[in-house]
Amino acid sequence: LAPWVPVVGLEIHAQISSNSKLFSGSQVQFAAPPNSLVSFFDASLPGTLPVLNRRCVEAAVMTGLALNCSINKKSLFDRKHYFYADLPAGYQITQQRVPIAVNGSLSYSLCIDNKMSQMVTKTVRIKQIQLEQDSGKSLHDDTRSQTLVDLNRAGVGLMEVVMEPDMCCGEEAAAAVRELQLILQTLGSSQAVMAEGQLRVDANVSVHHPGEPYGVRTEVKNINSIRFLAKAIDYEIQRQIEELENGGTILNETRAFDSKLGCTVPMRDKEGKQDYRFMPEPNLPPLILYDAKSLPANMNHQQVINIDWIHERLPDLPSVKRKKLVEQYGILPEHSFTLLNEDGLAEFFESVVKRTQMKPKKVIGWILKDLLSYLKQHSLTVKESPVSSFLLADLLNLLEKKEISSTAAKQVLAELWKGEGKTPLEIVKEQKLELLQDQKELEQICQAVIDGHKNEVIMMVLG
Amino acid sequence: AALNGGLRSQVSAALKEGRVAPTELCQRCLALIKSTKFLNAYITVAEETALKQAEESEERYKRGQPLGILDGIPIAVKDNFNTAGIETTCASNMLKGYISPYNATVVQKLLDQGAVLLGKTNLDEFAMGSGSTDGVFGPVRNPWSYSKQYKEKNVPKSYPEDEESNWVITGGSSGGSAAAVSSFTCFAALGSDTGGSTRNPAAHCGVVGLKPTYGLISRHGLIPLVNSMDVPGILTRCVDDAAVLLGSLAGHDPKDSTTTQDGFEPFELPDLTDVSKLSIGIPKEYHAPGLSSEILALWSKAADLFKNAGAKVVEVSLPHTPYSIVCYHVLCTAEVASNMARFDGLEYGHRSDMKDSTESMYAATRREGFNDVVRGRILSGNYFLLKQNYEKYFVKAQKVRRLIANDFVKVFRSGVDILLTPTTLSDAAPYTEFIQEDNRTRSAQDDILTQAANMAGLPAINVPTALSERGLPVGLQFIGRSFQEKQLLTVAKWFEKQVQFPVIQLEEVERHDSDVFQHQKSASFS
């Protein structure tokens, strides 16, 4: 049987972290009472006009720079028309002709095997980043045959990040999205929490035989977590392969991922191809961005965005942070990934290292094995850890000074998890876990043991 | 006497000096509105709020602290501007009963300066039309239909033909505003102008109609027809008054991203005496097919007027003028299709009782809410925006638009200061004749002289010039350079003084203000 080459591309919508919406002054807030954050413009009241939110543009520029994109100094806004209850104006304002950023790349890493012992770096091309409005939410009440519309989310700023079909499976897509998530959170341009709808991923999947043209692709939507993303993609790849091997064809359709059944199903409401009748947004002039060279001398600072200024102020991206951790602390690259992958863990680690004489290479084991596995077992975040970095550092110091054995240290740690407020030293004293340092005393104990077990000693001496 | 005077020179002075009180002025206008109800110029008369505003204005005058020239001045606003607490209908079933929660920026500015908002004026539905005949509240009648001047020239030939069937249209789509100003029920009115909708009815109703430069006055709160061409329009009885209104409305609005960031300084118009440094351009393409010989003669006479006064008068060419109508129709219908998409019955406005599905509710709502004209434009517009048609029509039209705009740039660059053209092809048609053709045909015919200025975003003004043989007003249009309203209005004012357009002799007005017509030669000022 000829091998199949799966091809995976992604369309990611990241909600911009800002106080107000993309084109109006109403607030951006998760889980507010329905229709409590709706301005006249959001409700599409006739005569209202869009006014561009500066913070949203800055967020998109930051993200574009972090993803190695070219920032378009002139970008345009367009209207994308379709009728739906959660789209009050009957059109979405987006950037179809000329988006704000293009031609970037994202590097991400995968483990070759399950043991996190060998990592390989891959790259996916970023086609573009565009600014656009989020829609409201509609909830279907089938029992009463009605649809309830909440416009709180209508008009919130989104960055749509389009990743080219350079990925080959669910794992790669998941790793790429995870890395994007970390970047966005580091920049602060989006909080990117999938569970709160701040990061939405649609996957484009197709399969083909090597050397042949790309196959028909399907779009998979309704994916609510990174784990489900990998599952949905892998399922869809399998489904397409089976379908084709059985002589069937793949429809260019949109499918929804059903997380309960673990499969993709065709979506209703998407009959035929939509013509969105794109048209330039006449109420927004072209968005002009400047850099140090092109910035006019007497421009009002409030009115302009300087790309170079933003570039200079970008924080260290995750890849840079990882490198620094490896260089500074001598830990393995895989370790740096895990540190950054868990919110707050890198800071915890560094805090411990600061407070202990134990070498970072040894500290990392305690962090990644003992601390992290405990947190995972109890579904706790680093912030929720009953053991603070101070406590752990104290414990590791006792171990480093050889005041306790490593077995004893694990025992103390187990006790510390209870969160009863005792210090490691107190627990050591309580449970009498101190290592004896006195040579003479040790000899006396050993002699006493030997004397008390004369028969066993003879057996041992005889072999 | 106050009813007839220019704002700055007469009415405002009278108010300040206490010769007339704001409440009195307001009440006179409201009474006149009542007795001219047959004109159907107003959709909503906001009697209570207007009187309240007048009272507040009176208090300010008593304290010696009026807010400005507009304090206490009764004005009317076209019913496609949002007015908080007062119905805004756009003369459509879609918005019947719609009470907006906010004021358009221009409305707010007028109110902030103490103007008294008398009511909302009638228009073609959603400003689509050139007759003010296609709104759900019925057509607007041109006050001149009832003037002594018209009646003298139009003695009914036989019974039962009478003035009921002889009345003429106001032109459109801001017909209600033009009629309101023309019949003295207010001192100034706001209209809108997308293809000529302020200048056209101004010409037919014998009033000044100013279309400002695109981007000079905020469109926030003006329910849009074509966002890239719409401007709020100003209708007054004299050019000086238009300058006063312009001064109170122009300037950057953060709520409208298409307004100019440049500063704007309100100005008073100088009394031009020497026109020898002026260069007037006469665009030959504006000798359009269908232009009445009367208007052609008037246009020629006006050119001579300038020449004889020492100005340089040259024939110029705007070669892409003949393409502007079709270009306008493509761009206009495309934007209409887009702008009307929000009317789905969900958030506000009319909602159909049809409940089978969301889609069927939308379809029924829009069928019930929009008239044929609106629906026709939506269908055309959507056609032009289809992916397969977009390049052929929309993009092509945008390119032609650029050519039309460049025509003007070239002419102005060649040294011409102002263009002089007719505003309309003829005087106002009788209603019964006008409705013989459909809205689209009429619009195509009537917009031809006004609409290129909207394509190019230029300022233009109608100045009432003379009465036609039928005793109806005819106006001429001046088109100026971008943001050069001061120059445009200065020239218009000079012309206005030369032509001394007669005051309308309306029985109703005379009844209300018997000493108004004692010293009448010109329309307004001292």
PDB file of all heavy atoms in Angstrom, chain A residues 44 46-47 50 79 81 84-85 89 91 275 277-278 280 283, chain B residues 82 102 219 221 227 257 338-339 342 347-348 362 382 387 390:
ATOM      1  N   SER A  44     -24.833  47.564  16.334  1.00  0.00           N
ATOM      2  CA  SER A  44     -25.032  48.006  14.950  1.00  0.00           C
ATOM      3  C   SER A  44     -26.133  49.052  14.814  1.00  0.00           C
ATOM      4  O   SER A  44     -26.809  49.111  13.787  1.00  0.00           O
ATOM      5  CB  SER A  44     -25.325  46.822  14.021  1.00  0.00           C
ATOM      6  OG  SER A  44     -26.681  46.394  14.139  1.00  0.00           O
ATOM      7  N   PRO A  46     -27.964  52.157  13.703  1.00  0.00           N
ATOM      8  CA  PRO A  46     -27.668  52.895  12.474  1.00  0.00           C
ATOM      9  C   PRO A  46     -27.008  54.236  12.764  1.00  0.00           C
ATOM     10  O   PRO A  46     -27.402  54.938  13.690  1.00  0.00           O
ATOM     11  CB  PRO A  46     -29.043  53.079  11.824  1.00  0.00           C
ATOM     12  CG  PRO A  46     -30.059  52.643  12.795  1.00  0.00           C
ATOM     13  CD  PRO A  46     -29.399  51.895  13.886  1.00  0.00           C
ATOM     14  N   GLY A  47     -25.997  54.561  11.977  1.00  0.00           N
ATOM     15  CA  GLY A  47     -25.310  55.844  12.131  1.00  0.00           C
ATOM     16  C   GLY A  47     -24.047  55.762  12.957  1.00  0.00           C
ATOM     17  O   GLY A  47     -23.292  56.735  13.028  1.00  0.00           O
ATOM     18  N   PRO A  50     -17.012  52.911  13.222  1.00  0.00           N
ATOM     19  CA  PRO A  50     -15.905  52.262  13.930  1.00  0.00           C
ATOM     20  C   PRO A  50     -14.768  53.243  14.206  1.00  0.00           C
ATOM     21  O   PRO A  50     -14.455  54.092  13.372  1.00  0.00           O
ATOM     22  CB  PRO A  50     -15.436  51.197  12.921  1.00  0.00           C
ATOM     23  CG  PRO A  50     -15.808  51.742  11.585  1.00  0.00           C
ATOM     24  CD  PRO A  50     -17.038  52.569  11.784  1.00  0.00           C
ATOM     25  N   ARG A  79     -14.984  44.693   4.686  1.00  0.00           N
ATOM     26  CA  ARG A  79     -16.203  44.110   5.242  1.00  0.00           C
ATOM     27  C   ARG A  79     -16.422  42.730   4.628  1.00  0.00           C
ATOM     28  O   ARG A  79     -16.320  42.571   3.415  1.00  0.00           O
ATOM     29  CB  ARG A  79     -17.404  44.991   4.912  1.00  0.00           C
ATOM     30  CG  ARG A  79     -17.391  46.342   5.596  1.00  0.00           C
ATOM     31  CD  ARG A  79     -18.663  47.107   5.273  1.00  0.00           C
ATOM     32  NE  ARG A  79     -18.662  48.422   5.896  1.00  0.00           N
ATOM     33  CZ  ARG A  79     -19.656  49.295   5.785  1.00  0.00           C
ATOM     34  NH1 ARG A  79     -20.721  48.996   5.054  1.00  0.00           N
ATOM     35  NH2 ARG A  79     -19.590  50.460   6.378  1.00  0.00           N
ATOM     36  N   HIS A  81     -19.318  39.998   4.380  1.00  0.00           N
ATOM     37  CA  HIS A  81     -20.757  39.960   4.612  1.00  0.00           C
ATOM     38  C   HIS A  81     -21.330  38.562   4.756  1.00  0.00           C
ATOM     39  O   HIS A  81     -21.037  37.679   3.951  1.00  0.00           O
ATOM     40  CB  HIS A  81     -21.503  40.630   3.447  1.00  0.00           C
ATOM     41  CG  HIS A  81     -21.131  42.064   3.230  1.00  0.00           C
ATOM     42  ND1 HIS A  81     -20.049  42.439   2.477  1.00  0.00           N
ATOM     43  CD2 HIS A  81     -21.690  43.200   3.683  1.00  0.00           C
ATOM     44  CE1 HIS A  81     -19.960  43.755   2.469  1.00  0.00           C
ATOM     45  NE2 HIS A  81     -20.937  44.245   3.189  1.00  0.00           N
ATOM     46  N   TYR A  84     -26.093  36.377  10.125  1.00  0.00           N
ATOM     47  CA  TYR A  84     -26.161  35.443  11.249  1.00  0.00           C
ATOM     48  C   TYR A  84     -26.562  36.218  12.477  1.00  0.00           C
ATOM     49  O   TYR A  84     -26.204  37.397  12.620  1.00  0.00           O
ATOM     50  CB  TYR A  84     -24.806  34.748  11.454  1.00  0.00           C
ATOM     51  CG  TYR A  84     -24.950  33.391  12.110  1.00  0.00           C
ATOM     52  CD1 TYR A  84     -25.518  32.316  11.421  1.00  0.00           C
ATOM     53  CD2 TYR A  84     -24.542  33.176  13.415  1.00  0.00           C
ATOM     54  CE1 TYR A  84     -25.668  31.071  12.020  1.00  0.00           C
ATOM     55  CE2 TYR A  84     -24.689  31.931  14.019  1.00  0.00           C
ATOM     56  CZ  TYR A  84     -25.259  30.893  13.318  1.00  0.00           C
ATOM     57  OH  TYR A  84     -25.405  29.661  13.918  1.00  0.00           O
ATOM     58  N   ALA A  85     -27.272  35.559  13.368  1.00  0.00           N
ATOM     59  CA  ALA A  85     -27.817  36.255  14.535  1.00  0.00           C
ATOM     60  C   ALA A  85     -26.743  36.909  15.395  1.00  0.00           C
ATOM     61  O   ALA A  85     -26.989  37.928  16.035  1.00  0.00           O
ATOM     62  CB  ALA A  85     -28.649  35.302  15.373  1.00  0.00           C
ATOM     63  N   ALA A  89     -24.234  43.670  12.410  1.00  0.00           N
ATOM     64  CA  ALA A  89     -24.174  44.567  11.255  1.00  0.00           C
ATOM     65  C   ALA A  89     -24.409  43.824   9.939  1.00  0.00           C
ATOM     66  O   ALA A  89     -24.570  44.448   8.896  1.00  0.00           O
ATOM     67  CB  ALA A  89     -22.818  45.277  11.203  1.00  0.00           C
ATOM     68  N   TYR A  91     -22.161  42.163   8.666  1.00  0.00           N
ATOM     69  CA  TYR A  91     -20.821  41.992   8.116  1.00  0.00           C
ATOM     70  C   TYR A  91     -19.819  42.079   9.261  1.00  0.00           C
ATOM     71  O   TYR A  91     -20.093  42.669  10.310  1.00  0.00           O
ATOM     72  CB  TYR A  91     -20.491  43.029   7.038  1.00  0.00           C
ATOM     73  CG  TYR A  91     -20.558  44.472   7.492  1.00  0.00           C
ATOM     74  CD1 TYR A  91     -19.489  45.087   8.142  1.00  0.00           C
ATOM     75  CD2 TYR A  91     -21.699  45.229   7.262  1.00  0.00           C
ATOM     76  CE1 TYR A  91     -19.562  46.410   8.569  1.00  0.00           C
ATOM     77  CE2 TYR A  91     -21.787  46.545   7.682  1.00  0.00           C
ATOM     78  CZ  TYR A  91     -20.727  47.137   8.335  1.00  0.00           C
ATOM     79  OH  TYR A  91     -20.810  48.436   8.748  1.00  0.00           O
ATOM     80  N   ASP A 275     -20.463  33.314  -0.598  1.00  0.00           N
ATOM     81  CA  ASP A 275     -19.761  34.419  -1.221  1.00  0.00           C
ATOM     82  C   ASP A 275     -19.851  35.586  -0.256  1.00  0.00           C
ATOM     83  O   ASP A 275     -20.928  36.109  -0.016  1.00  0.00           O
ATOM     84  CB  ASP A 275     -20.413  34.781  -2.568  1.00  0.00           C
ATOM     85  CG  ASP A 275     -19.585  35.755  -3.373  1.00  0.00           C
ATOM     86  OD1 ASP A 275     -18.923  36.626  -2.772  1.00  0.00           O
ATOM     87  OD2 ASP A 275     -19.596  35.661  -4.616  1.00  0.00           O
ATOM     88  N   ARG A 277     -18.858  38.557  -0.444  1.00  0.00           N
ATOM     89  CA  ARG A 277     -19.007  39.902  -1.029  1.00  0.00           C
ATOM     90  C   ARG A 277     -18.106  40.908  -0.337  1.00  0.00           C
ATOM     91  O   ARG A 277     -18.551  41.956   0.143  1.00  0.00           O
ATOM     92  CB  ARG A 277     -20.466  40.350  -0.961  1.00  0.00           C
ATOM     93  CG  ARG A 277     -21.365  39.556  -1.896  1.00  0.00           C
ATOM     94  CD  ARG A 277     -22.842  39.673  -1.516  1.00  0.00           C
ATOM     95  NE  ARG A 277     -23.166  38.831  -0.373  1.00  0.00           N
ATOM     96  CZ  ARG A 277     -23.779  39.257   0.744  1.00  0.00           C
ATOM     97  NH1 ARG A 277     -24.144  40.509   0.847  1.00  0.00           N
ATOM     98  NH2 ARG A 277     -24.021  38.422   1.718  1.00  0.00           N
ATOM     99  N   PHE A 278     -16.798  40.620  -0.276  1.00  0.00           N
ATOM    100  CA  PHE A 278     -15.859  41.527   0.357  1.00  0.00           C
ATOM    101  C   PHE A 278     -15.909  42.900  -0.290  1.00  0.00           C
ATOM    102  O   PHE A 278     -16.036  43.047  -1.495  1.00  0.00           O
ATOM    103  CB  PHE A 278     -14.430  40.983   0.240  1.00  0.00           C
ATOM    104  CG  PHE A 278     -14.161  39.826   1.156  1.00  0.00           C
ATOM    105  CD1 PHE A 278     -14.232  38.514   0.688  1.00  0.00           C
ATOM    106  CD2 PHE A 278     -13.837  40.032   2.491  1.00  0.00           C
ATOM    107  CE1 PHE A 278     -13.981  37.443   1.545  1.00  0.00           C
ATOM    108  CE2 PHE A 278     -13.576  38.964   3.349  1.00  0.00           C
ATOM    109  CZ  PHE A 278     -13.662  37.663   2.866  1.00  0.00           C
ATOM    110  N   PRO A 280     -14.227  47.115   0.563  1.00  0.00           N
ATOM    111  CA  PRO A 280     -13.409  47.899   1.502  1.00  0.00           C
ATOM    112  C   PRO A 280     -14.293  48.542   2.572  1.00  0.00           C
ATOM    113  O   PRO A 280     -15.418  48.938   2.282  1.00  0.00           O
ATOM    114  CB  PRO A 280     -12.793  48.985   0.613  1.00  0.00           C
ATOM    115  CG  PRO A 280     -12.908  48.489  -0.782  1.00  0.00           C
ATOM    116  CD  PRO A 280     -14.103  47.595  -0.823  1.00  0.00           C
ATOM    117  N   ASN A 283     -15.387  53.412   6.254  1.00  0.00           N
ATOM    118  CA  ASN A 283     -15.304  54.317   7.390  1.00  0.00           C
ATOM    119  C   ASN A 283     -13.959  54.296   8.096  1.00  0.00           C
ATOM    120  O   ASN A 283     -13.766  54.996   9.091  1.00  0.00           O
ATOM    121  CB  ASN A 283     -16.413  53.979   8.393  1.00  0.00           C
ATOM    122  CG  ASN A 283     -17.787  54.287   7.829  1.00  0.00           C
ATOM    123  OD1 ASN A 283     -17.981  55.336   7.242  1.00  0.00           O
ATOM    124  ND2 ASN A 283     -18.712  53.359   7.965  1.00  0.00           N
TER     125      ASN A 283
ATOM    126  N   ASN B  82     -29.689  60.829  13.657  1.00  0.00           N
ATOM    127  CA  ASN B  82     -30.117  60.341  14.954  1.00  0.00           C
ATOM    128  C   ASN B  82     -30.383  61.492  15.918  1.00  0.00           C
ATOM    129  O   ASN B  82     -29.537  62.369  16.089  1.00  0.00           O
ATOM    130  CB  ASN B  82     -29.030  59.450  15.564  1.00  0.00           C
ATOM    131  CG  ASN B  82     -29.088  58.026  15.037  1.00  0.00           C
ATOM    132  OD1 ASN B  82     -29.780  57.175  15.586  1.00  0.00           O
ATOM    133  ND2 ASN B  82     -28.370  57.785  13.950  1.00  0.00           N
ATOM    134  N   TYR B 102     -29.025  58.131  20.990  1.00  0.00           N
ATOM    135  CA  TYR B 102     -27.936  59.106  20.940  1.00  0.00           C
ATOM    136  C   TYR B 102     -28.197  60.153  19.865  1.00  0.00           C
ATOM    137  O   TYR B 102     -28.999  59.949  18.957  1.00  0.00           O
ATOM    138  CB  TYR B 102     -26.607  58.396  20.676  1.00  0.00           C
ATOM    139  CG  TYR B 102     -26.387  57.921  19.254  1.00  0.00           C
ATOM    140  CD1 TYR B 102     -25.591  58.661  18.373  1.00  0.00           C
ATOM    141  CD2 TYR B 102     -26.961  56.736  18.790  1.00  0.00           C
ATOM    142  CE1 TYR B 102     -25.385  58.236  17.071  1.00  0.00           C
ATOM    143  CE2 TYR B 102     -26.758  56.303  17.496  1.00  0.00           C
ATOM    144  CZ  TYR B 102     -25.965  57.045  16.638  1.00  0.00           C
ATOM    145  OH  TYR B 102     -25.768  56.617  15.344  1.00  0.00           O
ATOM    146  N   ARG B 219     -19.929  62.617  10.199  1.00  0.00           N
ATOM    147  CA  ARG B 219     -21.074  61.793   9.786  1.00  0.00           C
ATOM    148  C   ARG B 219     -21.543  60.886  10.916  1.00  0.00           C
ATOM    149  O   ARG B 219     -22.456  60.078  10.724  1.00  0.00           O
ATOM    150  CB  ARG B 219     -20.704  60.904   8.595  1.00  0.00           C
ATOM    151  CG  ARG B 219     -20.483  61.632   7.297  1.00  0.00           C
ATOM    152  CD  ARG B 219     -20.135  60.654   6.177  1.00  0.00           C
ATOM    153  NE  ARG B 219     -18.902  59.927   6.407  1.00  0.00           N
ATOM    154  CZ  ARG B 219     -18.828  58.618   6.659  1.00  0.00           C
ATOM    155  NH1 ARG B 219     -19.927  57.883   6.715  1.00  0.00           N
ATOM    156  NH2 ARG B 219     -17.663  58.034   6.858  1.00  0.00           N
ATOM    157  N   GLY B 221     -23.666  59.467  13.383  1.00  0.00           N
ATOM    158  CA  GLY B 221     -25.074  59.658  13.681  1.00  0.00           C
ATOM    159  C   GLY B 221     -25.914  59.934  12.442  1.00  0.00           C
ATOM    160  O   GLY B 221     -27.147  59.960  12.528  1.00  0.00           O
ATOM    161  N   ASN B 227     -21.206  55.578   2.516  1.00  0.00           N
ATOM    162  CA  ASN B 227     -20.260  56.126   3.480  1.00  0.00           C
ATOM    163  C   ASN B 227     -19.140  56.936   2.858  1.00  0.00           C
ATOM    164  O   ASN B 227     -18.651  57.887   3.455  1.00  0.00           O
ATOM    165  CB  ASN B 227     -19.615  54.982   4.269  1.00  0.00           C
ATOM    166  CG  ASN B 227     -20.571  54.369   5.268  1.00  0.00           C
ATOM    167  OD1 ASN B 227     -20.913  54.982   6.252  1.00  0.00           O
ATOM    168  ND2 ASN B 227     -21.012  53.165   4.992  1.00  0.00           N
ATOM    169  N   SER B 257     -13.813  58.527  11.943  1.00  0.00           N
ATOM    170  CA  SER B 257     -12.420  58.421  11.504  1.00  0.00           C
ATOM    171  C   SER B 257     -12.169  58.999  10.123  1.00  0.00           C
ATOM    172  O   SER B 257     -11.028  59.074   9.687  1.00  0.00           O
ATOM    173  CB  SER B 257     -11.982  56.961  11.506  1.00  0.00           C
ATOM    174  OG  SER B 257     -12.250  56.367  12.745  1.00  0.00           O
ATOM    175  N   SER B 338     -24.427  46.819   1.523  1.00  0.00           N
ATOM    176  CA  SER B 338     -23.666  46.567   2.736  1.00  0.00           C
ATOM    177  C   SER B 338     -24.272  47.271   3.941  1.00  0.00           C
ATOM    178  O   SER B 338     -24.479  46.672   4.998  1.00  0.00           O
ATOM    179  CB  SER B 338     -22.224  47.044   2.528  1.00  0.00           C
ATOM    180  OG  SER B 338     -21.470  46.833   3.696  1.00  0.00           O
ATOM    181  N   ASN B 339     -24.602  48.547   3.787  1.00  0.00           N
ATOM    182  CA  ASN B 339     -25.109  49.326   4.914  1.00  0.00           C
ATOM    183  C   ASN B 339     -26.468  48.847   5.386  1.00  0.00           C
ATOM    184  O   ASN B 339     -26.812  48.996   6.561  1.00  0.00           O
ATOM    185  CB  ASN B 339     -25.187  50.809   4.545  1.00  0.00           C
ATOM    186  CG  ASN B 339     -23.822  51.434   4.403  1.00  0.00           C
ATOM    187  OD1 ASN B 339     -22.864  50.997   5.031  1.00  0.00           O
ATOM    188  ND2 ASN B 339     -23.708  52.446   3.556  1.00  0.00           N
ATOM    189  N   ARG B 342     -27.548  45.508   8.183  1.00  0.00           N
ATOM    190  CA  ARG B 342     -27.793  45.491   9.617  1.00  0.00           C
ATOM    191  C   ARG B 342     -29.280  45.478   9.958  1.00  0.00           C
ATOM    192  O   ARG B 342     -29.646  45.194  11.099  1.00  0.00           O
ATOM    193  CB  ARG B 342     -27.140  46.696  10.274  1.00  0.00           C
ATOM    194  CG  ARG B 342     -27.731  48.045   9.849  1.00  0.00           C
ATOM    195  CD  ARG B 342     -26.901  49.183  10.403  1.00  0.00           C
ATOM    196  NE  ARG B 342     -25.529  49.061   9.932  1.00  0.00           N
ATOM    197  CZ  ARG B 342     -24.463  49.456  10.622  1.00  0.00           C
ATOM    198  NH1 ARG B 342     -24.610  50.020  11.791  1.00  0.00           N
ATOM    199  NH2 ARG B 342     -23.251  49.305  10.140  1.00  0.00           N
ATOM    200  N   GLU B 347     -32.098  43.615  16.482  1.00  0.00           N
ATOM    201  CA  GLU B 347     -31.671  44.516  17.559  1.00  0.00           C
ATOM    202  C   GLU B 347     -32.584  45.724  17.718  1.00  0.00           C
ATOM    203  O   GLU B 347     -32.697  46.275  18.806  1.00  0.00           O
ATOM    204  CB  GLU B 347     -30.248  45.036  17.286  1.00  0.00           C
ATOM    205  CG  GLU B 347     -29.194  43.942  17.171  1.00  0.00           C
ATOM    206  CD  GLU B 347     -29.090  43.381  15.761  1.00  0.00           C
ATOM    207  OE1 GLU B 347     -29.689  43.962  14.845  1.00  0.00           O
ATOM    208  OE2 GLU B 347     -28.448  42.347  15.598  1.00  0.00           O
ATOM    209  N   TYR B 348     -33.214  46.204  16.649  1.00  0.00           N
ATOM    210  CA  TYR B 348     -34.023  47.422  16.685  1.00  0.00           C
ATOM    211  C   TYR B 348     -34.862  47.458  15.416  1.00  0.00           C
ATOM    212  O   TYR B 348     -34.672  46.679  14.496  1.00  0.00           O
ATOM    213  CB  TYR B 348     -33.126  48.678  16.738  1.00  0.00           C
ATOM    214  CG  TYR B 348     -32.021  48.618  15.712  1.00  0.00           C
ATOM    215  CD1 TYR B 348     -32.250  48.955  14.376  1.00  0.00           C
ATOM    216  CD2 TYR B 348     -30.756  48.174  16.071  1.00  0.00           C
ATOM    217  CE1 TYR B 348     -31.250  48.843  13.437  1.00  0.00           C
ATOM    218  CE2 TYR B 348     -29.745  48.061  15.133  1.00  0.00           C
ATOM    219  CZ  TYR B 348     -29.998  48.405  13.826  1.00  0.00           C
ATOM    220  OH  TYR B 348     -28.999  48.288  12.896  1.00  0.00           O
ATOM    221  N   TYR B 362     -35.682  37.173   8.856  1.00  0.00           N
ATOM    222  CA  TYR B 362     -34.902  38.230   8.201  1.00  0.00           C
ATOM    223  C   TYR B 362     -35.575  38.639   6.897  1.00  0.00           C
ATOM    224  O   TYR B 362     -35.776  39.816   6.617  1.00  0.00           O
ATOM    225  CB  TYR B 362     -33.504  37.711   7.821  1.00  0.00           C
ATOM    226  CG  TYR B 362     -32.478  37.647   8.925  1.00  0.00           C
ATOM    227  CD1 TYR B 362     -32.794  37.942  10.242  1.00  0.00           C
ATOM    228  CD2 TYR B 362     -31.171  37.250   8.642  1.00  0.00           C
ATOM    229  CE1 TYR B 362     -31.843  37.849  11.240  1.00  0.00           C
ATOM    230  CE2 TYR B 362     -30.212  37.170   9.621  1.00  0.00           C
ATOM    231  CZ  TYR B 362     -30.557  37.455  10.920  1.00  0.00           C
ATOM    232  OH  TYR B 362     -29.598  37.355  11.897  1.00  0.00           O
ATOM    233  N   ASN B 382     -25.541  43.832  -4.239  1.00  0.00           N
ATOM    234  CA  ASN B 382     -25.011  42.510  -3.937  1.00  0.00           C
ATOM    235  C   ASN B 382     -24.486  41.823  -5.185  1.00  0.00           C
ATOM    236  O   ASN B 382     -23.493  41.105  -5.146  1.00  0.00           O
ATOM    237  CB  ASN B 382     -26.090  41.640  -3.268  1.00  0.00           C
ATOM    238  CG  ASN B 382     -26.169  41.901  -1.778  1.00  0.00           C
ATOM    239  OD1 ASN B 382     -25.152  42.156  -1.132  1.00  0.00           O
ATOM    240  ND2 ASN B 382     -27.352  41.845  -1.218  1.00  0.00           N
ATOM    241  N   LYS B 387     -18.123  37.742  -5.889  1.00  0.00           N
ATOM    242  CA  LYS B 387     -16.718  37.532  -6.188  1.00  0.00           C
ATOM    243  C   LYS B 387     -16.431  37.606  -7.679  1.00  0.00           C
ATOM    244  O   LYS B 387     -15.471  38.225  -8.114  1.00  0.00           O
ATOM    245  CB  LYS B 387     -16.327  36.148  -5.667  1.00  0.00           C
ATOM    246  CG  LYS B 387     -14.870  36.019  -5.358  1.00  0.00           C
ATOM    247  CD  LYS B 387     -14.611  34.760  -4.542  1.00  0.00           C
ATOM    248  CE  LYS B 387     -13.102  34.532  -4.400  1.00  0.00           C
ATOM    249  NZ  LYS B 387     -12.806  33.323  -3.651  1.00  0.00           N
ATOM    250  N   TYR B 390     -16.791  41.403  -8.865  1.00  0.00           N
ATOM    251  CA  TYR B 390     -16.171  42.481  -8.103  1.00  0.00           C
ATOM    252  C   TYR B 390     -15.189  43.307  -8.930  1.00  0.00           C
ATOM    253  O   TYR B 390     -15.253  44.538  -8.928  1.00  0.00           O
ATOM    254  CB  TYR B 390     -15.489  41.884  -6.871  1.00  0.00           C
ATOM    255  CG  TYR B 390     -14.878  42.879  -5.933  1.00  0.00           C
ATOM    256  CD1 TYR B 390     -15.677  43.680  -5.114  1.00  0.00           C
ATOM    257  CD2 TYR B 390     -13.498  43.031  -5.844  1.00  0.00           C
ATOM    258  CE1 TYR B 390     -15.114  44.592  -4.241  1.00  0.00           C
ATOM    259  CE2 TYR B 390     -12.929  43.948  -4.978  1.00  0.00           C
ATOM    260  CZ  TYR B 390     -13.745  44.724  -4.177  1.00  0.00           C
ATOM    261  OH  TYR B 390     -13.179  45.635  -3.321  1.00  0.00           O
TER     262      TYR B 390
END
